[in-house]
Amino acid sequence: MFATLALGVRSTDTLFKSFSFSIWIFAAVSLAMFYPGLITEVGGFETSRLIVPLIQLIMFGMGTQLSLSDFAGVLKRPRGVLIGMACQFTIMPLVGISLALSFGFPAEIAAGVVLIGSCPGGVASNVMAFIAEADLALSITLTAAATMVSPFVTPLLMQLLAGQFVPIDAVGMMLSILNMIILPIVLGLAFNHFLHGKARWLDDIMPVVSMVGIAVIIAVITAAGRDSLVSIGLLLVGAAILHNAAGYLLGYWGGRLFGMDEQECRTIALEVGMQNGGMASGLAAEMGKIATVGLAPAVFGPWMNISGSTLANWWRRKALSEEEGEAATAATGSSEEELQAFSDSK
């Protein structure tokens, strides 16, 4: 049902077209919940071993969409980047630990909630910033900068906040992020720098590869943690909604507090509210706790795409409406001036 619905909305030219990827995720989750045995192991091969290579492939694709100028943007507008990163790495980890303690989750699942909050923004936030008529350049720069400091910040936050739930090997986590996230992005950057325009097929295929990879990762995690999801799934969904909403709200007003303009505030809201779920899933797999620590990323990820698409489209319609209003006002003003000039000439 979800698969046919995704195909149906994809062929339309309506607001629902932007939700087709999220519907595919629901299809993957449904398959994993009903037939976990078909997914956790295929022909004696444990599919959880695919998670890290798939994330590396996705991060390579992200790197091919970046350039050195995106990192140079940090020097051009350091204030916006620093405010965005400060909001990202304070609001979401603190909201995550607050929700983990308030909901009384089992220790390893609570650690997963903190983990998703401690990760940087993902590339999906750049897409949402574009849709929302936000500051796309700032969004890309923020994602790049936050990702590059994540090997040091994320393990530190996990050790400080999640260490009470599970043992955290901060050095091991840092090395995992370098191998799983930073190295593929650097290779993607090099590919883009030296082979830009020479492999157009890669630009066409990487978005599809990324979407399929994310769907496979979420299906594998869901199948592995099916029993836990059956018992606490609704609580995790509630935590995902609250965590995500807090990111948008506090990120937006955090920008307002520092005197940023509307476009910049929208950008920071999306960057803060949308984390790199793939990175969180990969770290859970590296910890050997994909069925527990990995559950929060599997639940939070689809919801972030749904809420982000909805918010971005609402902001877009609002921006277009305001532009039309300004154009109408300008036209009215011009007409009045012309009428007054005509009257004066008489």
Side-chain angles (χ1 to χ4, degrees), residues 105-141:
F105 290 125
E108 292 188 356
I109 292 174
V113 175
V114 177
L115 176 60
I116 188 72
S118 301
C119 287
V123 71
S125 61
N126 305 151
V127 178
M128 302 310 169
F130 173 75
I131 294 172
E133 299 281 326
D135 191 328
L136 181 59
L138 177 60
S139 178
I140 294 172
T141 303

Side-chain angles (χ1 to χ4, degrees), residues 189-238:
L189 274 168
F191 185 95
N192 185 34
H193 181 72
F194 294 106
L195 298 174
H196 180 69
K198 298 179 182 178
R200 299 189 67 86
W201 60 270
L202 188 68
D203 294 334
D204 296 333
I205 199 174
M206 281 311 300
V208 177
V209 170
S210 296
M211 289 189 288
V212 172
I214 291 169
V216 170
I217 290 168
I218 290 176
V220 170
I221 295 172
T222 301
R226 176 188 178 276
D227 294 340
S228 296
L229 274 174
V230 168
S231 60
I232 63 165
L234 287 178
L235 282 178
L236 263 181
V237 171

Side-chain angles (χ1 to χ4, degrees), residues 1-11 23-24 27:
M1 183 271 286
F2 281 122
T4 53
L5 181 60
L7 290 171
V9 300
R10 182 66 182 172
S11 62
I23 299 172
W24 276 115

